[in-house]
Amino acid sequence: MIDDTISKIEARVQSHEHLDETRRRELLELVGRLKSEVDELARTHQEEAQSIARFAELSTEEAIRTRQNPELRDISIQGLNSSVTGFENSHPKLVQVVNTISHTLSNLGI
């Protein structure tokens, strides 16, 4: 399920026509790092890992929509950030990746 969700994110980023190539590469690299970190988390916290992947998918979808709703984008990004709360000590790389993704997605709306 996590792999499917990550694949959907990658496909949306790849196919989005309004993303410049630099942002596209940056997001795809971050999604690759997210996949690695979420896969590691899933070994011990499957439900939380799935939740993080789903919030990442939703946040990406909201951030790259052609007609954005800034409120929905911000809410989805806030959910993504909240999904990693409590993993700062045990999975700091995951938290760092999620924070970077959140920041990048927020900046897409500028």
Side-chain angles (χ1 to χ4, degrees):
M1 176 176 223
I2 292 171
D3 287 341
D4 291 340
T5 303
I6 298 293
S7 293
K8 287 178 188 177
I9 297 170
E10 290 170 332
R12 286 197 63 107
V13 170
Q14 283 283 14
S15 67
H16 194 275
E17 57 197 45
H18 298 292
L19 274 178
D20 67 63
E21 212 40 52
T22 302
R23 285 284 194 202
R24 186 183 323 277
R25 280 193 308 270
E26 179 183 7
L27 280 171
L28 289 173
E29 189 261 323
L30 288 168
V31 170
R33 289 175 46 202
L34 177 67
K35 180 185 180 331
S36 175
E37 295 300 323
V38 168
D39 283 346
E40 183 178 321
L41 178 66
R43 294 181 193 146
T44 56
H45 297 85
Q46 180 67 33
E47 289 180 352
E48 290 87 347
Q50 288 174 348
S51 180
I52 293 166
R54 285 193 304 265
F55 272 113
E57 179 184 21
L58 178 61
S59 298
T60 302
E61 183 177 321
E62 290 299 329
I64 66 174
R65 289 176 69 159
T66 303
R67 295 167 69 187
Q68 287 190 13
N69 179 328
E71 185 177 353
L72 290 178
R73 183 194 64 230
D74 293 345
I75 289 169
S76 64
I77 291 171
Q78 182 180 17
L80 176 58
N81 287 330
S82 294
S83 69
V84 295
T85 299
F87 292 108
E88 294 87 351
N89 292 325
S90 61
H91 293 82
K93 289 181 186 176
L94 171 63
V95 175
Q96 179 185 23
V97 169
V98 166
N99 288 338
T100 304
I101 289 172
S102 296
H103 180 72
T104 301
L105 293 175
S106 290
N107 287 339
L108 290 178
I110 293 175

